[in-house]
Amino acid sequence: MSYQPPSGTRDLLPLDVAQKYWIEARLEAMFQRWGYHRIITSTVENLDTLMAGGAIAQSSVIQLQGDGPERLGLRPELTASIARAAVTRMAQVTYPQRLYYTANVFSRAPKGSQAGQREYYQAGVELLGTSGTLADAETLRLLLSCVKNLQLTDWQLILGNADLTRSLLQAFPERLRGTVRAAIAQLDRITLETLDLPDELRQRALQLMDLRGRPQDVLQTVSQLPLTPEQQAIVNELKSLLELLDRAKPASPVILDLSLVQSFDYYTGIIFEAVVNTPQGRQVVGKGGRYDNLLGVFDPKGRSYPGIGFMLNVETLHQALAGTGCLPEVIPPSDWLVVPKTPQAAIAAFQYAETIREAEALVRVELYLEPEDDVAVIRQRARDRNISRIAWITDTHPPEIEAVN
């Protein structure tokens, strides 16, 4: 019999939890400063909700066996669940709605894979009911503030636009469009060079794959393409957005990448990734984008509201911050050790510990539970656990307070 956790999952020990909380606490503080409020949605959802109208592949969802006819699963991301809650439970609220979350998500390992992570922890925001360049800029500048608050260095913001990329792909035959899209996303030049395409379209595909780099250079290149009025409008919006980001603090090293494709297919406008260079290599610590049709999937009358958001992967952030000196290296020690000196002093010891714990600020208090150990042994145990004060309790005299050296 195996008593190990299932493959793709892991236990978080106290130091892991302390470091995870350090990250989440700083993210939540930043979300709240920007006027976002926490929402908690169900870990288990109907499969139809999790698939978001077909935008999320059923194969990526870990499905559950329910008691009735409902098809259930574990959420692979939070945006669909929050969109469902917004239109079914928050119909009377005023917009825009600023919501944030910290939660675990689950993903099925790829077919044929023997390993791969299945449970992740994420923190993120959703800005619902508003569209336009200002909303996009707020979301991206909030992401920049989160990165700054975590003291991450050597990172980049990769920015694309799903609508523009999708429309540029319309020039390709429908039967090959998915293949071209996947090859561009995976930087697979060999596939593009060997596809059954006219030379003009093959060169267009290779050109699309190379639409990444300094924003000014990419915008100049894409402006030379035969753009429709709708495509030109998107390019103009990107220029306005980049101007707003140029004035952000901290300044963001932006890479404009019009070949960027996200794994979930509900995005309709800007899409983006935060990428950090670490000793382990280049890691995506966050991603997001605009989804202006998703809420309509869940509205009984088909009404939709614009939305944009991002998520940050807590575990990837943890890896990126490891060794930087930012994360706590030990679990927080207790502040007090309350010791009943005799069995008769137990009630007084419980009462004194409770009195200390009632302080407004967090105070960690341990009760010594062993029977009448030697005083020197108790002092050494307090030192070993980095406890700063001992309260010696009797049933006849006031507590004796001792600072532990």
Side-chain angles (χ1 to χ4, degrees), residues 253-311:
V254 178
I255 301 297
L256 187 57
D257 184 355
L258 296 183
S259 67
L260 182 63
V261 176
Q262 296 287 35
S263 53
F264 299 135
D265 202 25
Y266 48 59
Y267 292 109
T268 58
I270 65 164
I271 51 178
F272 49 88
E273 293 179 346
V275 180
V276 177
N277 295 313
T278 72
Q280 294 75 36
R282 189 175 168 89
Q283 299 189 66
V284 177
V285 297
K287 60 176 62 176
R290 173 162 291 284
Y291 48 88
D292 285 349
N293 300 325
L294 180 61
L295 274 68
V297 171
F298 306 108
D299 189 273
K301 297 182 179 179
R303 297 169 299 189
S304 194
Y305 307 90
I308 185 173
F310 66 78
M311 74 81 185

Short mmCIF file of all heavy atoms in Angstrom, two decimals, residues 253-311:
data_model
loop_
_atom_site.label_atom_id
_atom_site.label_comp_id
_atom_site.label_asym_id
_atom_site.label_seq_id
_atom_site.Cartn_x
_atom_site.Cartn_y
_atom_site.Cartn_z
N PRO A 253 9.89 46.36 -18.97
CA PRO A 253 10.56 45.93 -20.20
C PRO A 253 9.58 45.14 -21.06
O PRO A 253 9.40 43.94 -20.87
CB PRO A 253 11.71 45.06 -19.69
CG PRO A 253 11.24 44.55 -18.36
CD PRO A 253 10.30 45.56 -17.80
N VAL A 254 8.90 45.79 -21.99
CA VAL A 254 7.83 45.18 -22.78
C VAL A 254 8.40 44.59 -24.06
O VAL A 254 9.17 45.25 -24.78
CB VAL A 254 6.73 46.20 -23.10
CG1 VAL A 254 5.64 45.55 -23.96
CG2 VAL A 254 6.12 46.75 -21.83
N ILE A 255 7.99 43.35 -24.34
CA ILE A 255 8.24 42.72 -25.64
C ILE A 255 6.89 42.58 -26.32
O ILE A 255 5.97 41.95 -25.77
CB ILE A 255 8.89 41.33 -25.48
CG1 ILE A 255 10.22 41.44 -24.73
CG2 ILE A 255 9.08 40.67 -26.84
CD1 ILE A 255 11.27 42.24 -25.43
N LEU A 256 6.73 43.17 -27.47
CA LEU A 256 5.49 43.01 -28.23
C LEU A 256 5.60 41.76 -29.08
O LEU A 256 6.53 41.62 -29.87
CB LEU A 256 5.24 44.24 -29.11
CG LEU A 256 3.89 44.29 -29.83
CD1 LEU A 256 2.73 44.21 -28.84
CD2 LEU A 256 3.78 45.57 -30.66
N ASP A 257 4.67 40.83 -28.90
CA ASP A 257 4.74 39.53 -29.56
C ASP A 257 3.37 39.20 -30.16
O ASP A 257 2.49 38.71 -29.47
CB ASP A 257 5.16 38.45 -28.55
CG ASP A 257 5.35 37.09 -29.20
OD1 ASP A 257 5.06 36.95 -30.40
OD2 ASP A 257 5.77 36.16 -28.49
N LEU A 258 3.21 39.49 -31.43
CA LEU A 258 1.92 39.25 -32.09
C LEU A 258 1.76 37.80 -32.52
O LEU A 258 0.75 37.45 -33.12
CB LEU A 258 1.77 40.19 -33.28
CG LEU A 258 1.73 41.67 -32.91
CD1 LEU A 258 1.50 42.53 -34.14
CD2 LEU A 258 0.66 41.95 -31.86
N SER A 259 2.74 36.94 -32.18
CA SER A 259 2.56 35.50 -32.39
C SER A 259 2.14 34.81 -31.09
O SER A 259 1.94 33.60 -31.08
CB SER A 259 3.86 34.88 -32.90
OG SER A 259 4.87 34.92 -31.90
N LEU A 260 1.99 35.58 -30.00
CA LEU A 260 1.64 35.00 -28.71
C LEU A 260 0.24 34.39 -28.77
O LEU A 260 -0.71 35.03 -29.22
CB LEU A 260 1.70 36.07 -27.62
CG LEU A 260 1.41 35.62 -26.20
CD1 LEU A 260 2.43 34.61 -25.71
CD2 LEU A 260 1.36 36.83 -25.26
N VAL A 261 0.12 33.15 -28.30
CA VAL A 261 -1.16 32.44 -28.26
C VAL A 261 -1.32 31.84 -26.87
O VAL A 261 -0.39 31.20 -26.36
CB VAL A 261 -1.23 31.32 -29.33
CG1 VAL A 261 -2.52 30.53 -29.20
CG2 VAL A 261 -1.10 31.92 -30.73
N GLN A 262 -2.47 32.03 -26.23
CA GLN A 262 -2.74 31.45 -24.92
C GLN A 262 -3.44 30.11 -25.08
O GLN A 262 -4.09 29.82 -26.09
CB GLN A 262 -3.59 32.39 -24.06
CG GLN A 262 -2.91 33.71 -23.73
CD GLN A 262 -1.80 33.54 -22.71
OE1 GLN A 262 -1.10 32.52 -22.70
NE2 GLN A 262 -1.60 34.53 -21.86
N SER A 263 -3.34 29.27 -24.03
CA SER A 263 -3.88 27.91 -24.11
C SER A 263 -5.40 27.90 -24.06
O SER A 263 -6.03 27.00 -24.62
CB SER A 263 -3.32 27.07 -22.96
OG SER A 263 -3.52 27.70 -21.71
N PHE A 264 -6.03 28.86 -23.38
CA PHE A 264 -7.49 28.93 -23.33
C PHE A 264 -7.97 29.86 -24.44
O PHE A 264 -7.42 30.96 -24.64
CB PHE A 264 -7.97 29.42 -21.96
CG PHE A 264 -7.55 28.50 -20.83
CD1 PHE A 264 -7.02 29.01 -19.67
CD2 PHE A 264 -7.68 27.12 -20.96
CE1 PHE A 264 -6.63 28.17 -18.63
CE2 PHE A 264 -7.29 26.27 -19.93
CZ PHE A 264 -6.77 26.80 -18.76
N ASP A 265 -9.04 29.45 -25.13
CA ASP A 265 -9.43 30.10 -26.37
C ASP A 265 -10.55 31.12 -26.18
O ASP A 265 -11.31 31.37 -27.11
CB ASP A 265 -9.85 29.05 -27.40
CG ASP A 265 -9.74 29.57 -28.82
OD1 ASP A 265 -8.94 30.50 -29.05
OD2 ASP A 265 -10.47 29.07 -29.69
N TYR A 266 -10.69 31.72 -24.98
CA TYR A 266 -11.75 32.71 -24.80
C TYR A 266 -11.24 34.15 -24.89
O TYR A 266 -12.01 35.09 -24.71
CB TYR A 266 -12.50 32.50 -23.48
CG TYR A 266 -11.67 32.31 -22.23
CD1 TYR A 266 -10.77 33.25 -21.81
CD2 TYR A 266 -11.82 31.16 -21.46
CE1 TYR A 266 -10.02 33.08 -20.66
CE2 TYR A 266 -11.09 30.98 -20.29
CZ TYR A 266 -10.19 31.95 -19.90
OH TYR A 266 -9.46 31.77 -18.75
N TYR A 267 -9.98 34.33 -25.19
CA TYR A 267 -9.44 35.70 -25.22
C TYR A 267 -9.81 36.41 -26.52
O TYR A 267 -9.82 35.81 -27.60
CB TYR A 267 -7.92 35.67 -25.06
CG TYR A 267 -7.50 35.24 -23.68
CD1 TYR A 267 -6.92 33.99 -23.46
CD2 TYR A 267 -7.72 36.06 -22.58
CE1 TYR A 267 -6.55 33.58 -22.19
CE2 TYR A 267 -7.36 35.66 -21.30
CZ TYR A 267 -6.78 34.42 -21.11
OH TYR A 267 -6.42 34.02 -19.85
N THR A 268 -10.11 37.72 -26.40
CA THR A 268 -10.60 38.48 -27.55
C THR A 268 -9.78 39.74 -27.82
O THR A 268 -9.98 40.38 -28.85
CB THR A 268 -12.06 38.91 -27.32
OG1 THR A 268 -12.13 39.70 -26.10
CG2 THR A 268 -12.98 37.71 -27.18
N GLY A 269 -8.93 40.14 -26.90
CA GLY A 269 -8.16 41.37 -27.06
C GLY A 269 -6.72 41.14 -26.68
O GLY A 269 -6.10 40.17 -27.11
N ILE A 270 -6.18 42.03 -25.84
CA ILE A 270 -4.78 41.87 -25.46
C ILE A 270 -4.60 40.57 -24.66
O ILE A 270 -5.48 40.14 -23.92
CB ILE A 270 -4.24 43.07 -24.65
CG1 ILE A 270 -4.95 43.20 -23.29
CG2 ILE A 270 -4.33 44.35 -25.45
CD1 ILE A 270 -4.20 44.09 -22.32
N ILE A 271 -3.47 39.96 -24.86
CA ILE A 271 -3.03 38.82 -24.06
C ILE A 271 -1.60 39.10 -23.64
O ILE A 271 -0.88 39.86 -24.31
CB ILE A 271 -3.13 37.48 -24.83
CG1 ILE A 271 -2.44 37.57 -26.19
CG2 ILE A 271 -4.57 37.03 -24.99
CD1 ILE A 271 -2.44 36.28 -26.98
N PHE A 272 -1.16 38.52 -22.52
CA PHE A 272 0.15 38.87 -22.02
C PHE A 272 0.68 37.79 -21.09
O PHE A 272 -0.08 36.98 -20.54
CB PHE A 272 0.11 40.23 -21.29
CG PHE A 272 -0.98 40.36 -20.28
CD1 PHE A 272 -0.81 39.96 -18.97
CD2 PHE A 272 -2.22 40.88 -20.65
CE1 PHE A 272 -1.81 40.08 -18.04
CE2 PHE A 272 -3.24 41.01 -19.73
CZ PHE A 272 -3.04 40.60 -18.42
N GLU A 273 2.00 37.80 -20.91
CA GLU A 273 2.68 36.91 -20.00
C GLU A 273 3.77 37.70 -19.26
O GLU A 273 4.39 38.58 -19.85
CB GLU A 273 3.34 35.74 -20.73
CG GLU A 273 2.37 34.77 -21.37
CD GLU A 273 3.06 33.64 -22.11
OE1 GLU A 273 4.29 33.73 -22.34
OE2 GLU A 273 2.36 32.66 -22.46
N ALA A 274 3.98 37.36 -18.00
CA ALA A 274 5.12 37.87 -17.24
C ALA A 274 6.15 36.76 -17.18
O ALA A 274 5.86 35.67 -16.69
CB ALA A 274 4.70 38.30 -15.85
N VAL A 275 7.35 37.02 -17.69
CA VAL A 275 8.39 36.00 -17.82
C VAL A 275 9.60 36.44 -17.00
O VAL A 275 10.06 37.58 -17.10
CB VAL A 275 8.78 35.80 -19.29
CG1 VAL A 275 9.86 34.75 -19.42
CG2 VAL A 275 7.56 35.40 -20.11
N VAL A 276 10.12 35.52 -16.18
CA VAL A 276 11.27 35.80 -15.32
C VAL A 276 12.43 34.91 -15.73
O VAL A 276 12.25 33.71 -15.98
CB VAL A 276 10.92 35.57 -13.84
CG1 VAL A 276 12.14 35.80 -12.95
CG2 VAL A 276 9.78 36.48 -13.42
N ASN A 277 13.62 35.47 -15.81
CA ASN A 277 14.83 34.70 -16.06
C ASN A 277 15.42 34.27 -14.72
O ASN A 277 15.72 35.11 -13.86
CB ASN A 277 15.84 35.53 -16.85
CG ASN A 277 15.33 35.87 -18.23
OD1 ASN A 277 14.82 35.01 -18.95
ND2 ASN A 277 15.45 37.13 -18.61
N THR A 278 15.56 32.97 -14.52
CA THR A 278 16.07 32.42 -13.26
C THR A 278 17.25 31.48 -13.56
O THR A 278 17.48 31.12 -14.72
CB THR A 278 14.97 31.62 -12.53
OG1 THR A 278 14.74 30.38 -13.23
CG2 THR A 278 13.67 32.41 -12.45
N PRO A 279 17.99 31.07 -12.52
CA PRO A 279 19.06 30.09 -12.76
C PRO A 279 18.55 28.80 -13.38
O PRO A 279 19.30 28.08 -14.04
CB PRO A 279 19.62 29.85 -11.35
CG PRO A 279 19.33 31.12 -10.61
CD PRO A 279 18.01 31.58 -11.15
N GLN A 280 17.27 28.48 -13.17
CA GLN A 280 16.68 27.27 -13.75
C GLN A 280 16.20 27.49 -15.19
O GLN A 280 15.73 26.56 -15.83
CB GLN A 280 15.50 26.78 -12.90
CG GLN A 280 15.87 26.30 -11.50
CD GLN A 280 16.18 27.45 -10.56
OE1 GLN A 280 15.57 28.50 -10.64
NE2 GLN A 280 17.15 27.24 -9.67
N GLY A 281 16.30 28.73 -15.67
CA GLY A 281 15.85 29.02 -17.02
C GLY A 281 14.73 30.05 -17.02
O GLY A 281 14.38 30.65 -16.00
N ARG A 282 14.15 30.23 -18.17
CA ARG A 282 13.10 31.22 -18.38
C ARG A 282 11.77 30.63 -17.92
O ARG A 282 11.38 29.54 -18.36
CB ARG A 282 13.07 31.55 -19.87
CG ARG A 282 12.20 32.70 -20.29
CD ARG A 282 12.45 32.90 -21.78
NE ARG A 282 11.49 33.78 -22.41
CZ ARG A 282 11.63 35.09 -22.48
NH1 ARG A 282 12.69 35.66 -21.96
NH2 ARG A 282 10.73 35.84 -23.09
N GLN A 283 11.05 31.33 -17.03
CA GLN A 283 9.81 30.81 -16.48
C GLN A 283 8.68 31.83 -16.62
O GLN A 283 8.87 33.02 -16.35
CB GLN A 283 9.97 30.47 -14.99
CG GLN A 283 11.02 29.39 -14.72
CD GLN A 283 10.99 28.95 -13.27
OE1 GLN A 283 10.02 28.36 -12.81
NE2 GLN A 283 12.06 29.23 -12.55
N VAL A 284 7.52 31.34 -17.04
CA VAL A 284 6.31 32.17 -17.09
C VAL A 284 5.68 32.15 -15.70
O VAL A 284 5.22 31.11 -15.24
CB VAL A 284 5.32 31.65 -18.14
CG1 VAL A 284 4.04 32.49 -18.13
CG2 VAL A 284 5.94 31.67 -19.53
N VAL A 285 5.67 33.30 -15.03
CA VAL A 285 5.11 33.35 -13.67
C VAL A 285 3.68 33.86 -13.66
O VAL A 285 2.99 33.74 -12.64
CB VAL A 285 5.99 34.23 -12.75
CG1 VAL A 285 7.37 33.62 -12.58
CG2 VAL A 285 6.08 35.66 -13.26
N GLY A 286 3.21 34.43 -14.76
CA GLY A 286 1.83 34.92 -14.82
C GLY A 286 1.39 35.13 -16.24
O GLY A 286 2.22 35.28 -17.15
N LYS A 287 0.07 35.13 -16.43
CA LYS A 287 -0.47 35.35 -17.77
C LYS A 287 -1.92 35.81 -17.66
O LYS A 287 -2.56 35.63 -16.61
CB LYS A 287 -0.37 34.09 -18.63
CG LYS A 287 -1.11 32.89 -18.07
CD LYS A 287 -1.05 31.69 -19.01
CE LYS A 287 0.34 31.21 -19.24
NZ LYS A 287 0.39 29.98 -20.09
N GLY A 288 -2.44 36.37 -18.73
CA GLY A 288 -3.83 36.81 -18.71
C GLY A 288 -4.20 37.45 -20.02
O GLY A 288 -3.50 37.34 -21.03
N GLY A 289 -5.35 38.17 -20.01
CA GLY A 289 -5.82 38.82 -21.22
C GLY A 289 -7.26 39.26 -21.11
O GLY A 289 -7.92 39.11 -20.07
N ARG A 290 -7.74 39.81 -22.22
CA ARG A 290 -9.12 40.31 -22.30
C ARG A 290 -10.04 39.25 -22.89
O ARG A 290 -9.68 38.56 -23.85
CB ARG A 290 -9.17 41.59 -23.14
CG ARG A 290 -10.59 42.09 -23.44
CD ARG A 290 -10.62 43.53 -23.88
NE ARG A 290 -10.26 44.42 -22.78
CZ ARG A 290 -11.07 44.74 -21.77
NH1 ARG A 290 -12.29 44.22 -21.71
NH2 ARG A 290 -10.66 45.56 -20.83
N TYR A 291 -11.26 39.12 -22.29
CA TYR A 291 -12.24 38.13 -22.74
C TYR A 291 -13.63 38.78 -22.73
O TYR A 291 -14.35 38.74 -21.75
CB TYR A 291 -12.21 36.90 -21.81
CG TYR A 291 -12.24 37.24 -20.33
CD1 TYR A 291 -13.43 37.40 -19.64
CD2 TYR A 291 -11.05 37.44 -19.63
CE1 TYR A 291 -13.45 37.74 -18.29
CE2 TYR A 291 -11.06 37.77 -18.29
CZ TYR A 291 -12.26 37.92 -17.63
OH TYR A 291 -12.28 38.25 -16.30
N ASP A 292 -14.02 39.38 -23.83
CA ASP A 292 -15.24 40.18 -23.86
C ASP A 292 -16.50 39.38 -24.19
O ASP A 292 -17.60 39.96 -24.19
CB ASP A 292 -15.09 41.34 -24.85
CG ASP A 292 -14.19 42.44 -24.31
OD1 ASP A 292 -13.88 42.39 -23.11
OD2 ASP A 292 -13.80 43.33 -25.09
N ASN A 293 -16.37 38.09 -24.46
CA ASN A 293 -17.55 37.27 -24.77
C ASN A 293 -17.83 36.19 -23.73
O ASN A 293 -18.87 35.54 -23.78
CB ASN A 293 -17.38 36.60 -26.14
CG ASN A 293 -17.22 37.62 -27.26
OD1 ASN A 293 -17.81 38.69 -27.23
ND2 ASN A 293 -16.39 37.29 -28.24
N LEU A 294 -16.93 36.00 -22.78
CA LEU A 294 -17.04 34.86 -21.87
C LEU A 294 -18.25 34.95 -20.95
O LEU A 294 -18.95 33.95 -20.73
CB LEU A 294 -15.76 34.73 -21.04
CG LEU A 294 -15.72 33.57 -20.05
CD1 LEU A 294 -15.86 32.23 -20.77
CD2 LEU A 294 -14.42 33.60 -19.24
N LEU A 295 -18.55 36.13 -20.39
CA LEU A 295 -19.66 36.22 -19.45
C LEU A 295 -21.00 35.90 -20.11
O LEU A 295 -21.90 35.37 -19.47
CB LEU A 295 -19.71 37.60 -18.81
CG LEU A 295 -18.83 37.78 -17.55
CD1 LEU A 295 -17.35 37.73 -17.89
CD2 LEU A 295 -19.16 39.08 -16.82
N GLY A 296 -21.11 36.17 -21.42
CA GLY A 296 -22.34 35.86 -22.13
C GLY A 296 -22.62 34.38 -22.23
O GLY A 296 -23.77 33.97 -22.42
N VAL A 297 -21.59 33.53 -22.09
CA VAL A 297 -21.78 32.08 -22.12
C VAL A 297 -22.67 31.64 -20.96
O VAL A 297 -23.47 30.70 -21.09
CB VAL A 297 -20.42 31.36 -22.04
CG1 VAL A 297 -20.60 29.86 -21.86
CG2 VAL A 297 -19.59 31.65 -23.29
N PHE A 298 -22.59 32.34 -19.81
CA PHE A 298 -23.29 31.93 -18.61
C PHE A 298 -24.56 32.73 -18.33
O PHE A 298 -25.34 32.35 -17.46
CB PHE A 298 -22.35 32.04 -17.41
CG PHE A 298 -21.05 31.30 -17.60
CD1 PHE A 298 -19.87 31.99 -17.79
CD2 PHE A 298 -21.03 29.91 -17.60
CE1 PHE A 298 -18.68 31.31 -17.98
CE2 PHE A 298 -19.84 29.23 -17.79
CZ PHE A 298 -18.67 29.92 -17.98
N ASP A 299 -24.78 33.83 -19.05
CA ASP A 299 -25.96 34.65 -18.79
C ASP A 299 -27.20 34.00 -19.40
O ASP A 299 -27.19 33.61 -20.57
CB ASP A 299 -25.77 36.05 -19.39
CG ASP A 299 -26.86 37.01 -18.97
OD1 ASP A 299 -27.92 37.04 -19.65
OD2 ASP A 299 -26.68 37.69 -17.96
N PRO A 300 -28.29 33.84 -18.61
CA PRO A 300 -29.50 33.18 -19.14
C PRO A 300 -30.06 33.86 -20.38
O PRO A 300 -30.68 33.20 -21.22
CB PRO A 300 -30.47 33.25 -17.95
CG PRO A 300 -29.62 33.42 -16.75
CD PRO A 300 -28.44 34.20 -17.19
N LYS A 301 -29.87 35.17 -20.50
CA LYS A 301 -30.40 35.90 -21.65
C LYS A 301 -29.33 36.16 -22.70
O LYS A 301 -29.57 36.88 -23.66
CB LYS A 301 -31.01 37.22 -21.19
CG LYS A 301 -32.21 37.04 -20.25
CD LYS A 301 -32.80 38.38 -19.86
CE LYS A 301 -34.01 38.19 -18.94
NZ LYS A 301 -34.59 39.49 -18.52
N GLY A 302 -28.15 35.58 -22.51
CA GLY A 302 -27.10 35.74 -23.50
C GLY A 302 -26.41 37.09 -23.47
O GLY A 302 -25.62 37.39 -24.37
N ARG A 303 -26.72 37.93 -22.47
CA ARG A 303 -26.06 39.22 -22.37
C ARG A 303 -24.61 39.02 -21.94
O ARG A 303 -24.32 38.16 -21.12
CB ARG A 303 -26.78 40.11 -21.36
CG ARG A 303 -28.21 40.45 -21.74
CD ARG A 303 -28.93 41.09 -20.57
NE ARG A 303 -28.97 40.17 -19.42
CZ ARG A 303 -29.67 40.39 -18.32
NH1 ARG A 303 -30.37 41.50 -18.21
NH2 ARG A 303 -29.65 39.51 -17.34
N SER A 304 -23.76 39.84 -22.47
CA SER A 304 -22.35 39.70 -22.11
C SER A 304 -21.80 41.02 -21.61
O SER A 304 -22.37 42.09 -21.86
CB SER A 304 -21.51 39.22 -23.29
OG SER A 304 -20.24 38.79 -22.84
N TYR A 305 -20.72 40.93 -20.87
CA TYR A 305 -20.04 42.09 -20.33
C TYR A 305 -18.55 41.90 -20.58
O TYR A 305 -18.05 40.78 -20.53
CB TYR A 305 -20.29 42.21 -18.82
CG TYR A 305 -21.74 42.19 -18.43
CD1 TYR A 305 -22.37 40.98 -18.16
CD2 TYR A 305 -22.47 43.36 -18.34
CE1 TYR A 305 -23.71 40.94 -17.81
CE2 TYR A 305 -23.81 43.33 -17.99
CZ TYR A 305 -24.43 42.12 -17.72
OH TYR A 305 -25.75 42.09 -17.38
N PRO A 306 -17.84 42.97 -20.85
CA PRO A 306 -16.40 42.82 -21.08
C PRO A 306 -15.67 42.42 -19.80
O PRO A 306 -16.15 42.65 -18.69
CB PRO A 306 -15.97 44.21 -21.57
CG PRO A 306 -17.01 45.14 -21.01
CD PRO A 306 -18.29 44.37 -20.99
N GLY A 307 -14.51 41.83 -19.98
CA GLY A 307 -13.71 41.42 -18.83
C GLY A 307 -12.25 41.30 -19.21
O GLY A 307 -11.90 41.07 -20.37
N ILE A 308 -11.40 41.46 -18.21
CA ILE A 308 -9.96 41.28 -18.39
C ILE A 308 -9.38 40.86 -17.05
O ILE A 308 -9.90 41.23 -15.99
CB ILE A 308 -9.28 42.58 -18.91
CG1 ILE A 308 -7.80 42.33 -19.21
CG2 ILE A 308 -9.47 43.73 -17.94
CD1 ILE A 308 -7.11 43.51 -19.87
N GLY A 309 -8.33 40.06 -17.08
CA GLY A 309 -7.74 39.62 -15.82
C GLY A 309 -6.40 38.95 -16.05
O GLY A 309 -5.94 38.80 -17.19
N PHE A 310 -5.78 38.55 -14.94
CA PHE A 310 -4.54 37.79 -15.02
C PHE A 310 -4.42 36.90 -13.80
O PHE A 310 -5.08 37.10 -12.77
CB PHE A 310 -3.32 38.72 -15.13
CG PHE A 310 -3.05 39.57 -13.91
CD1 PHE A 310 -2.43 39.06 -12.77
CD2 PHE A 310 -3.39 40.92 -13.92
CE1 PHE A 310 -2.17 39.86 -11.66
CE2 PHE A 310 -3.14 41.73 -12.81
CZ PHE A 310 -2.53 41.18 -11.68
N MET A 311 -3.60 35.87 -13.94
CA MET A 311 -3.27 35.01 -12.81
C MET A 311 -1.77 34.96 -12.66
O MET A 311 -1.01 35.08 -13.63
CB MET A 311 -3.85 33.61 -13.00
CG MET A 311 -3.16 32.72 -14.00
SD MET A 311 -1.68 31.91 -13.33
CE MET A 311 -1.06 31.09 -14.81
#
